[in-house]
Amino acid sequence: MHVDLLACAVCHCLAARKQARALTRHYESRLRRHGLKATQFSVLASLALAGPTPMGELAELLGLERTTLTRGAALLEEKGWISAEKADDRRARPLRLTAAGRRKLDSAYPAWKAAQDSAATI
C-alpha cells in the first residue's frame, strides 16, 4: 500500500526554506558591494549591539550552529573586522568588533536598511 503524498506538494517546511533563500539573496544582493554576506553583517551588528560575546552565546543569539559561526568568524577575523579575546577556556573566548569592523558595519548599513525596508515585497 502506498501513502498519498499529494500533501507534500504544499509542504510548509519546504516553502519556508524557499522563502528564506529568497530573503537571503535579497539582502546579499545589496550587501555584496560592501564585501559582506547577510550572516556576516548580522555578526557585526550583533557584536556592535551586545559588545564582546562568547562564541557559543553569539551562535545561540544568531540561531546559528556553533561550527558555522566558527568558520564565519575566522573569515571576519582574517579581514580584521572582529577579534577573539584571550580566555582560559577556548570555548568561551569572546568575540569583539574592531574599529575596522565598526567602519565596515557603518558603511554597509544603508544597503542593509534598503534591503530591510523592501523585504516585505519578497
Side-chain angles (χ1 to χ4, degrees):
M1 173 178 162
H2 293 283
V3 296
D4 179 10
L5 296 174
L6 193 54
C8 295
V10 290
C11 174
H12 297 299
C13 182
L14 181 60
R17 291 176 61 95
K18 184 177 179 182
Q19 183 66 18
R21 286 189 302 274
L23 259 174
T24 299
R25 283 191 304 271
H26 175 74
Y27 278 83
E28 290 186 352
S29 70
R30 280 137 182 98
L31 291 169
R32 189 172 295 119
R33 66 186 164 103
H34 297 280
L36 288 169
K37 295 200 172 280
T39 303
Q40 293 171 328
F41 181 89
S42 296
V43 168
L44 298 179
S46 294
L47 290 174
L49 291 167
T53 307
M55 185 83 73
E57 191 178 315
L58 186 59
E60 189 173 320
L61 177 72
L62 293 168
L64 296 173
E65 293 293 325
R66 187 181 161 90
T67 55
T68 301
L69 179 59
T70 299
R71 285 190 306 270
L75 180 61
L76 294 174
E77 195 169 10
E78 228 174 75
K79 292 180 182 259
W81 298 336
I82 67 170
S83 67
E85 295 182 352
K86 302 290 184 220
D88 292 336
D89 183 353
R90 187 153 167 74
R91 295 169 298 166
R93 68 185 182 120
L95 298 177
R96 71 169 188 81
L97 188 65
T98 64
R102 183 60 203 222
R103 288 190 301 274
K104 175 57 73 172
L105 182 60
D106 289 347
S107 72
Y109 178 81
W112 174 87
K113 182 74 166 98
Q116 178 77 358
D117 291 346
S118 60
T121 63
I122 302 295

